[in-house]
Amino acid sequence: MEKNKTICAISTPIGNGGISIVRMSGEKSKEILQKVVNLNVEKLEARKLTLSKIKTKNFMEQALVVWFKAPFSYTGEDMVEIQCHGGVVIANGILEELIDKGAVLAEPGEFTKRAFMNGKISLDRAEGVIDMINAQSEEAVKAGYNLMIGKLKEVVDEIQTNLTTAQAKVEVAIDYPEEDIEYSTAKEIKTELEDAKNKINNLLLTANTGRIVKNGINVLILGKPNAGKSSLLNALVGYNRAIVTDIAGTTRDTVEGTYTYKNMSFNVIDTAGIRDAESIVEQIGIERAEENVKNADIILVVLDGSRPIEPDDERILKLVKDKIVLYVINKIDLPKKINATFDKMIEVSALRREKVEKLKNDIYDLVVDKNMLTGGLLITNTRHINSLKKALIALNSAIDALENQVSLDLVATDIKTAWLALGEITGRNSNQEIIDTIFTKFCLGK
Ligand SMILES: Nc1nc2c(ncn2[C@@H]2O[C@H](COP(=O)(O)OP(=O)(O)OP(=O)(O)O)[C@@H](O)[C@H]2O)c(=O)[nH]1
Ligand SMILES: [Mg+2]
């Protein structure tokens, strides 16, 4: 990224629509705008839409233009937005014109990256922006919003204040080495550190819910051939996603589909029926099915209700122990022959789409901790989890050193380490590589 270049990009999706927005940010925004409009840009009031003709190499357009004066813009720089008629040709033509007049095409996420670089938003808040855009469910939007408006930053700043307070007390004690650290001072330091620790632990408690809110809940379907797994996938996603036949061994590879239920997103994975495979292709499919077990948040073990439990079923029952499992007795429209009951089970007919809503509700209840979905802050990002854990380890070590009166220098070092780990979250002290990786996940024009 060249900081002083003026960048531009189309911020709306490419395609036909009512309006497209072309954005520009940097020192030369206004100067470049002047070259494409037929009004005097010096007379433009900041943040006010004005209708103007736009002249490009090959066509004229009429559009709304707005300029933002630094630092009162998204990026913190002078910015221009051109709201033109939707359509690939118009937006591209205007973009090319801006480039021709001196702007350069922005990299993905560069507007937000500049906002971060110019101190407009912290790194975690920028990540909230990506999460909002990529959200697959309303719960994911809520989580992204909280991050974007700075709820995590607020807590992280508070924890860092705890640490700074503790650190100041440690430093004073270090400066007077001839006296033993007073009991009351040690206690005050410990209180700050414990307070910080509690806040971190509370954040980490939300991480599992945060993960499933952001990425969706992984629902894995396992069962012997012909149990009706693919039919169940189709019933859940609401259309014929997977091929269904009465030939055992129809599904060879994993097939994925998604649905939303109660504002959460669910990723369903249908797999090859598990049995002693006849072909190598089927065998590989079965191995894939088995590999998916560890990433599943819940496993639906599909059993054919019109047949007794068979050795192939038994193999699956062994595979899923230690996981959250819902036993789905399928084909209840046929005479019941199955001779087993399970703690968590549901009877359905995938073919007739019967009890599908109840199934969705059971899945939801088994996986989602509703107390966590009260609109509060959730930790949704592995990067944040890692930094919090790093800070926690350092804090435990600091508390340990303090309690055992090891050395105050050690306490100070540990507190510093914790402080730095937390600073990675907000970007107070993140390295450039991490920052670059975060922003490349953005889309163009944001
Ligand atoms: N009567 C009845 N038949 C069903 C039901 N669900 C599935 N079937 C039938 O069972 C057969 C197998 O269904 P699939 O969904 O392909 O089964 P599968 O478990 O995916 O099978 P593989 O991919 O071979 O492992 C098909 O003929 C389906 O129509 C049901 O609820 N009732
Ligand atoms: Mg199948």
Side-chain angles (χ1 to χ4, degrees):
M1 183 178 81
E2 288 173 80
K3 197 175 177 302
N4 48 7
K5 292 235 162 148
T6 295
I7 50 168
C8 64
I10 301 170
S11 291
T12 39
I14 302 301
N16 287 347
I19 296 167
S20 286
I21 298 178
V22 184
R23 256 175 156 188
M24 184 158 59
S25 177
E27 277 169 11
K28 293 214 173 86
S29 299
K30 221 173 163 185
E31 192 184 310
I32 295 170
L33 180 68
Q34 184 64 79
K35 295 179 181 161
V36 300
V37 292
N38 70 337
L39 46 80
N40 181 357
V41 295
E42 292 310 324
K43 294 210 172 124
L44 279 180
E45 225 178 285
R47 295 161 168 250
K48 203 172 152 189
L49 287 170
T50 309
L51 188 66
S52 171
K53 291 215 162 57
I54 309 277
K55 191 165 70 71
T56 75
K57 199 157 84 206
N58 298 317
F59 61 83
M60 292 294 291
E61 156 72 323
Q62 211 170 27
L64 287 169
V65 298
V66 56
W67 87 283
F68 302 85
K69 188 174 161 43
F72 307 107
S73 71
Y74 182 65
T75 57
E77 303 170 337
D78 270 359
M79 272 188 88
V80 164
E81 271 186 30
I82 301 174
Q83 305 187 1
C84 60
H85 290 97
V88 186
V89 181
I90 302 172
N92 271 328
I94 294 174
L95 186 73
E96 276 170 29
E97 197 60 29
L98 298 178
I99 291 171
D100 191 56
K101 297 291 184 276
V104 296
L105 188 63
E107 292 165 17
E110 196 172 351
F111 289 93
T112 312
K113 189 172 178 178
R114 286 191 176 197
F116 168 68
M117 293 296 188
N118 294 325
K120 293 291 283 190
I121 56 172
S122 57
L123 206 51
D124 55 317
R125 291 183 57 197
E127 288 170 308
V129 175
I130 325 180
D131 288 356
M132 287 282 282
I133 293 172
N134 292 340
Q136 298 292 321
S137 69
E138 290 181 12
E139 288 296 342
V141 171
K142 282 197 226 167
Y145 178 79
N146 284 337
L147 194 56
M148 182 182 73
I149 63 168
K151 281 202 179 174
L152 176 59
K153 182 180 185 301
E154 214 173 280
V155 184
V156 168
D157 287 350
E158 272 175 32
I159 304 172
Q160 283 190 313
T161 305
N162 287 131
L163 299 186
T164 311
T165 312
Q167 191 72 313
K169 291 181 199 285
V170 174
E171 302 285 348
V172 171
I174 290 175
D175 287 344
Y176 297 96
E178 62 280 2
E179 294 167 34
D180 269 351
I181 181 164
E182 273 186 39
Y183 174 74
S184 64
T185 314
K187 206 175 157 200
E188 280 166 23
I189 296 170
K190 208 179 144 204
T191 307
E192 294 290 345
L193 299 183
E194 291 287 356
D195 195 13
K197 218 177 112 172
N198 285 338
K199 285 174 189 155
I200 294 177
N201 277 325
N202 285 339
L203 288 175
L204 286 172
L205 280 178
T206 69
N208 191 45
T209 305
R211 179 183 59 81
I212 60 174
V213 159
K214 181 173 162 184
N215 301 334
I217 293 162
N218 295 326
V219 181
L220 180 65
I221 305 181
L222 291 183
K224 69 184 171 201
N226 254 347
K229 299 177 296 300
S230 299
S231 306
L232 195 68
L233 167 74
N234 294 345
L236 284 169
V237 300
Y239 69 100
N240 289 332
R241 173 71 186 83
I243 299 169
V244 169
T245 74
D246 56 4
I247 305 163
T250 299
T251 308
R252 297 301 185 92
D253 205 345
T254 48
V255 183
E256 298 184 25
T258 61
Y259 67 90
T260 50
Y261 182 75
K262 291 193 178 169
N263 302 329
M264 296 275 287
S265 167
F266 294 78
N267 315 314
V268 192
I269 304 175
D270 173 29
T271 59
I274 293 179
R275 63 169 170 185
D276 282 331
E278 284 152 20
S279 78
I280 180 76
V281 180
E282 192 179 356
Q283 183 52 42
I284 293 169
I286 293 171
E287 280 161 18
R288 287 210 176 145
E290 293 179 346
E291 277 163 24
N292 275 302
V293 169
K294 62 176 181 303
N295 289 326
D297 293 306
I298 180 167
I299 297 171
L300 306 182
V301 171
V302 184
L303 298 160
D304 186 336
S306 69
R307 300 165 72 100
I309 293 279
E310 291 163 331
D312 285 332
D313 293 314
E314 314 250 3
R315 172 170 172 187
I316 298 155
L317 301 183
K318 277 197 203 110
L319 195 66
V320 300
K321 58 177 190 327
D322 309 329
K323 299 291 294 188
I324 297 180
V325 178
L326 178 59
Y327 294 90
V328 182
I329 314 294
N330 190 29
K331 310 196 187 181
I332 48 156
D333 51 293
L334 298 176
K336 192 170 169 181
K337 294 259 179 60
I338 194 158
N339 46 357
T341 58
F342 301 90
D343 192 17
K344 286 165 191 138
M345 62 181 261
I346 177 171
E347 299 190 336
V348 305
S349 169
L351 181 72
R352 297 195 182 165
R353 308 282 199 258
E354 276 170 27
K355 295 278 169 59
V356 178
E357 276 304 298
K358 166 129 188 16
L359 173 62
K360 287 184 178 177
N361 202 49
D362 285 1
I363 295 171
Y364 181 94
D365 283 346
L366 283 172
V367 181
V368 179
D369 180 353
K370 282 178 284 296
N371 297 325
M372 289 278 172
L373 293 180
T374 49
L377 174 63
L378 295 175
I379 299 296
T380 49
N381 193 311
T382 322
R383 193 180 79 79
H384 303 162
I385 296 173
N386 290 341
S387 297
L388 289 169
K389 285 187 177 164
K390 236 196 283 178
L392 198 60
I393 292 169
L395 275 180
N396 281 330
S397 165
I399 293 170
D400 199 48
L402 194 67
E403 280 176 345
N404 298 311
Q405 300 177 2
V406 182
S407 118
L408 280 178
D409 285 323
L410 210 64
V411 178
T413 313
D414 285 334
I415 295 177
K416 181 81 185 158
T417 306
W419 195 94
L420 288 173
L422 293 163
E424 290 168 359
I425 297 176
T426 48
R428 270 183 167 183
N429 56 291
S430 287
N431 71 41
Q432 193 58 40
E433 207 179 316
I434 292 173
I435 293 167
D436 289 343
T437 332
I438 290 171
F439 288 103
T440 49
K441 288 187 212 142
F442 271 65
C443 35
L444 214 73
K446 187 62 208 170

